[in-house]
Amino acid sequence: MTNNAVDSDVPERMADSVASNTDTAASDADSAAPTADSTADSAASATDDSATTPTPIGVKLGSARTVFVYSDEDGDPETVQTRSCLAVPEDSDQFYYGEDAEAKYPDQTTYVLDAGVPGDAERAELTEQFLTELCAAHDLPADSAVVFAIPAVDDECGLANFNTMVDASDIGDAVTRGFPESLCGSIPAVGDGLSAIDQIFAAINLGATTLEASGYRHGDRLAPFSTAAATGNDVDQAIVDAIADETDGRVELARTTAREYKETYADFDSFEPFTDVFDHPEEGEQEFTVERGLMDPLDAYLDDVVDELTTGFFSRLATQHMRSYQLSVTRPLVVTGGMACIPGLADELASRLSDELDRDVTAVTPDHPEVAAAEGAYRLAERLATTH
């Protein structure tokens, strides 16, 4: 297998090394900063020479959900989503992943990336097996150009484990790269093709394990910021606690149930209370109504996000890159990540930031935030497939 690690010399105009997370500017503008015109030219070239062009694959290995986007036999993008979990039944050498694992072996299912990256050798091995099973299930070819959307995490061991896992994977023989998740998620939000690489904007990634922010100036990453102080996982636990309080302790949800409530019912535009049932050990099936237990934690979460962005990210961007800061706040703030799926959340975030920054902040999100990082990674992979 050749060139199948997330390289440490990836041009910073479009990506950091997964292992080093350095911010060195790139000099290879041709391969690292494609324009819309060059992407179109490359696509035409790929059509003429499809037999030798590697299959582009974009990958987002998320703490809760993994997404692949790859080219099918007709060259059209195909999207696959599944839960980031793996079950290894006792006394069996067979593996089950995703929703199949949750349904068949819920007590033996491990969420392999619940910290964002595999934090130890055991998690790295499980994540490698998860990736292997997923690639095999969809016949993803070894002759492929693969881009991974990488979260901004302060975990050198986890990032090293990620590198090792990628190096051992069965895809990406042609070329493999890792790019910041905030950039990958922004690409489909900003425009067609890779037009985001030619623009100046600020991107916020509202993830399950991290809050990530960065400025982008023609592909250069500016003032990267990440924190675990406001995350989707924290919201899930806060919902568990709030619903317990709202029901006087009668209902104790699992965090996975709280996440399902968040994904199904949360709405900053028009939330309506909802009713569910639970089994009481003595009284049998009981009904309960959620009125404030869902949106109150989300409201507090947005307050925390605004505080982290204003005191951490925007102040850093203004100090280090004043001109880019001034330009970025006049343009829509790109909001990505799983939390951006909640209706009205991005606009409410923009409204609160407007008050804090004393500027008129607007927000834009991808059409499908849950798959945007993989989609953006796929567009980058299309480019790399023709230029590697």
Side-chain angles (χ1 to χ4, degrees):
M1 185 173 296
T2 60
N3 197 22
N4 200 39
V6 182
D7 299 326
S8 60
D9 60 348
V10 176
E12 175 54 23
R13 285 184 65 91
M14 293 178 61
D16 290 341
S17 158
V18 172
S20 64
N21 269 334
T22 57
D23 291 310
T24 306
S27 59
D28 190 354
D30 179 61
S31 63
T35 64
D37 290 340
S38 64
T39 302
D41 293 341
S42 298
S45 175
T47 301
D48 296 337
D49 195 20
S50 59
T52 60
T53 301
T55 299
I57 304 174
V59 184
K60 165 54 184 169
L61 291 170
S63 60
R65 184 168 290 277
T66 286
V67 185
F68 276 62
V69 181
Y70 62 95
S71 288
D72 63 16
E73 294 180 353
D74 297 324
D76 298 322
E78 180 78 17
T79 301
V80 173
Q81 297 186 63
T82 190
R83 291 288 189 184
S84 301
C85 59
L86 187 75
V88 187
E90 295 181 4
D91 303 322
S92 172
D93 58 359
Q94 188 167 359
F95 297 88
Y96 298 85
Y97 72 87
E99 287 79 357
D100 195 30
E102 290 181 321
K104 293 180 178 178
Y105 299 97
D107 296 333
Q108 300 177 55
T109 295
T110 300
Y111 286 85
V112 295
L113 289 167
D114 54 359
V117 290
D120 55 37
E122 180 181 1
R123 287 299 174 100
E125 183 177 348
L126 288 172
T127 306
E128 180 182 334
Q129 188 61 52
F130 168 74
L131 182 60
T132 298
E133 296 292 326
L134 188 56
C135 291
H138 296 280
D139 295 323
L140 299 181
D143 184 22
S144 49
V146 182
V147 169
F148 287 87
I150 308 298
V153 294
D154 186 18
D155 183 351
E156 292 185 6
C157 179
L159 291 171
N161 287 335
F162 194 99
N163 252 356
T164 301
M165 174 200 70
V166 169
D167 188 47
S169 71
D170 296 328
I171 56 175
D173 275 8
V175 61
T176 302
R177 295 288 188 269
F179 292 75
E181 183 177 342
S182 61
L183 174 62
C184 292
S186 296
I187 288 171
V190 171
D192 296 332
L194 294 173
S195 60
I197 306 304
D198 297 324
Q199 301 189 35
I200 298 174
F201 60 93
I204 312 298
N205 186 61
L206 305 176
T209 58
T210 58
L211 165 63
E212 177 186 354
S214 183
Y216 287 98
R217 180 181 59 205
H218 305 304
D220 281 326
R221 194 165 75 137
L222 309 177
F225 170 85
S226 67
T227 179
T231 70
N233 286 348
D234 291 340
V235 173
D236 298 340
Q237 184 58 53
I239 292 170
V240 170
D241 297 337
I243 290 179
D245 289 343
E246 190 172 30
T247 59
D248 296 324
R250 292 186 304 121
V251 179
E252 295 183 7
L253 299 177
R255 279 180 55 174
T256 53
T257 304
R259 177 180 293 159
E260 291 172 3
Y261 285 175
K262 179 182 70 179
E263 294 174 349
T264 304
Y265 298 109
D267 191 328
F268 277 87
D269 293 329
S270 57
F271 170 74
E272 294 183 2
F274 61 94
T275 300
D276 203 351
V277 297
F278 72 101
D279 284 327
H280 191 281
E282 298 178 356
E283 302 175 14
E285 192 173 87
Q286 300 286 306
E287 185 177 274
F288 67 97
T289 299
V290 177
E291 295 183 352
R292 301 182 60 85
L294 181 59
M295 294 306 297
D296 281 1
L298 283 163
D299 186 67
Y301 163 77
L302 273 191
D303 283 342
D304 291 340
V305 169
V306 170
D307 182 60
E308 293 294 330
L309 292 178
T310 53
T311 61
F313 169 61
F314 282 112
S315 61
R316 179 187 300 182
L317 182 62
T319 299
Q320 298 178 359
H321 307 279
M322 175 56 74
R323 178 58 178 163
S324 294
Y325 164 76
Q326 291 174 331
L327 288 172
S328 67
V329 295
T330 65
R331 299 170 183 180
L333 179 70
V334 182
V335 182
T336 66
M339 297 294 286
C341 295
I342 297 174
L345 183 145
D347 289 338
E348 180 63 23
L349 172 61
S351 176
R352 298 187 191 191
L353 284 171
S354 295
D355 293 338
E356 292 296 320
L357 298 174
D358 196 25
R359 291 175 177 266
D360 184 16
V361 178
T362 60
V364 62
T365 61
D367 289 339
H368 303 286
E370 70 279 10
V371 300
E375 182 182 340
Y378 171 77
R379 295 188 193 179
L380 294 169
E382 283 186 300
R383 172 64 177 172
L384 288 174
T386 61
T387 60
H388 74 282

